[in-house]
Amino acid sequence: NQNATFRDHFIDAPVDISKVLFVTTANEIDRIPGPLLDRMEVIRLSGYDVPEKLKIAEQYLVPKSMVSSGLMVKESPEEEKSDNDDGKKEEPDTKKSEKEESEAKKSEYTEPVYRLAEKVPESLSINESALESLVRWYCREAGVRNLAQKIDKITRLLSLQVVAEEEGAKLTEKSSRQSDTWEVSEENLHHYVGKPIFTSDRLYEKDPLPHGIVMGLAWTSMGGTALYIETQGIKRGLDHDGKPRGGGTLKATGQLGDVMKESTQIAYTVARARLADVAPNNNFFDVTDIHMHVPEGATPKDGPSAGI
């Protein structure tokens, strides 16, 4: 077995990894090399949608970050102990079934209670509109790691502002409070986390779309996005004899993958063949160059379903 005599090149010593189980994670399975993927058992876990992220942020991420930043304190509920009339402790009932014990444990669980720390303004909070903006325009990944980092950034800045105003210290223009309220909302969110990373999916606000532009959909590790596909026809110039220079060509740009490039060539060939059947005298493709561009350069445009 090759795994029993694996030699690490860093320490230059054989290591037995025949009984080792490696656990890895990936956001996009298409980027895993084929030979490595064949040796893996893949467990697919779906990401959180917007309502789920909002609930996780409200019930867990925001209170946790507030406590770690010193803006909130967690109150532990007092546990009341009941004694018998004779002062002896109640003997545990060994006859209870496992189901009854599990139900009793569930009933004993209480939601944690948080309150603002001393000298923290009562209006200090992160409202739902700010959390929704964080999810939609800043943190579109499948998990909540980036969302937790953004919330931590907000609470740390709030904590700094509270301490600075309490002690009368001066902060830089970037760190000082920009609004008159301690409530973080959608309107003043950019003061804490900067400008949105993602903007609206619509480049063209007015309908219908201009000629030569269509919309497509792309699957991404963050759920998906809308893509605009833009085309422009350019008439071929004339040479000294008054004849068109060369023939019509198709040029595709915009970080397209190999599958998408092949799809554009197939679509171009089908369009030429169809036009020849419908209008044999039409020489549009012979005298016109076509440039196709997909503006969203950061979105990968390739995969098993890529096509135009």
Side-chain angles (χ1 to χ4, degrees):
N1 188 352
Q2 61 178 357
N3 294 330
T5 57
F6 173 77
R7 179 175 289 273
D8 184 79
H9 293 289
F10 183 74
I11 61 175
D12 195 24
V15 181
D16 183 7
I17 59 172
S18 59
K19 296 182 180 180
V20 176
L21 177 64
F22 294 93
V23 180
T24 62
T25 60
N27 291 331
E28 298 180 17
I29 197 172
D30 296 333
R31 298 189 178 185
I32 302 177
L36 177 61
L37 185 61
D38 292 340
R39 290 165 173 77
M40 287 182 167
E41 291 291 338
V42 180
I43 301 176
R44 299 179 182 269
L45 301 176
S46 60
Y48 301 113
D49 56 15
V50 174
E52 290 173 338
K53 285 184 178 181
L54 288 176
K55 287 297 182 182
I56 293 173
E58 291 175 357
Q59 299 178 7
Y60 177 71
L61 297 180
V62 171
K64 177 186 175 184
S65 183
M66 288 278 199
V67 171
S68 63
S69 299
L71 297 173
M72 278 186 172
V73 293
K74 183 178 179 181
E75 294 182 344
S76 57
E78 297 180 0
E79 298 179 2
E80 297 181 357
K81 297 180 180 180
S82 59
D83 297 334
N84 293 335
D85 295 336
D86 55 358
K88 294 182 180 180
K89 293 184 178 179
E90 186 177 344
E91 295 293 334
D93 187 4
T94 57
K95 297 181 181 180
K96 289 184 178 180
S97 63
E98 295 181 358
K99 184 177 180 181
E100 291 176 347
E101 290 180 357
S102 62
E103 291 178 353
K105 289 180 180 180
K106 289 180 181 178
S107 62
E108 290 176 0
Y109 174 77
T110 56
E111 291 288 340
V113 179
Y114 301 94
R115 63 174 177 83
L116 292 174
E118 295 183 3
K119 299 181 180 180
V120 175
E122 295 182 359
S123 60
L124 189 145
S125 63
I126 303 176
N127 65 22
E128 187 176 353
S129 66
L131 295 176
E132 187 173 354
S133 295
L134 280 176
V135 173
R136 289 179 59 85
W137 309 119
Y138 294 85
C139 312
R140 289 186 178 180
E141 74 280 356
V144 294
R145 181 189 307 168
N146 198 20
L147 179 60
Q149 292 175 354
K150 294 293 184 184
I151 293 175
D152 289 342
K153 186 176 181 180
I154 295 173
T155 57
R156 285 196 298 265
L157 186 53
L158 286 172
S159 179
L160 176 63
Q161 292 171 353
V162 170
V163 174
E165 293 203 5
E166 178 68 25
E167 299 182 356
K170 278 191 176 183
L171 298 176
T172 61
E173 183 179 355
K174 185 178 180 180
S175 300
S176 59
R177 190 155 59 99
Q178 304 292 333
S179 56
D180 298 332
T181 177
W182 286 101
E183 183 182 29
V184 180
S185 61
E186 183 180 5
E187 288 74 21
N188 61 2
L189 180 63
H190 62 279
H191 295 314
Y192 297 90
V193 292
K195 295 181 179 180
I197 300 174
F198 304 96
T199 56
S200 175
D201 290 333
R202 294 188 65 87
L203 294 178
Y204 304 91
E205 297 295 339
K206 295 181 180 180
D207 290 326
L209 292 175
H211 295 296
I213 298 175
V214 295
M215 287 194 68
L217 297 176
W219 180 93
T220 65
S221 59
M222 299 182 184
T225 184
L227 295 176
Y228 284 92
I229 302 173
E230 304 174 344
T231 57
Q232 178 66 50
I234 306 169
K235 288 288 184 180
R236 301 290 293 184
L238 302 177
D239 57 15
H240 296 292
D241 299 331
K243 296 181 180 179
R245 296 174 181 172
T249 59
L250 171 66
K251 182 180 181 180
T253 57
Q255 297 292 332
L256 299 178
D258 293 336
V259 177
M260 287 286 285
K261 289 179 180 179
E262 292 178 359
S263 298
T264 61
Q265 293 297 330
I266 293 172
Y268 181 68
T269 301
V270 171
R272 294 196 66 162
R274 180 61 179 164
L275 182 62
D277 291 340
V278 175
N281 297 327
N282 192 321
N283 63 346
F284 173 80
F285 288 107
D286 297 328
V287 299
T288 306
D289 287 338
I290 298 177
H291 184 186
M292 190 197 76
H293 179 66
V294 184
E296 295 286 342
T299 303
K301 307 168 192 70
D302 206 2
S305 60
I308 297 177

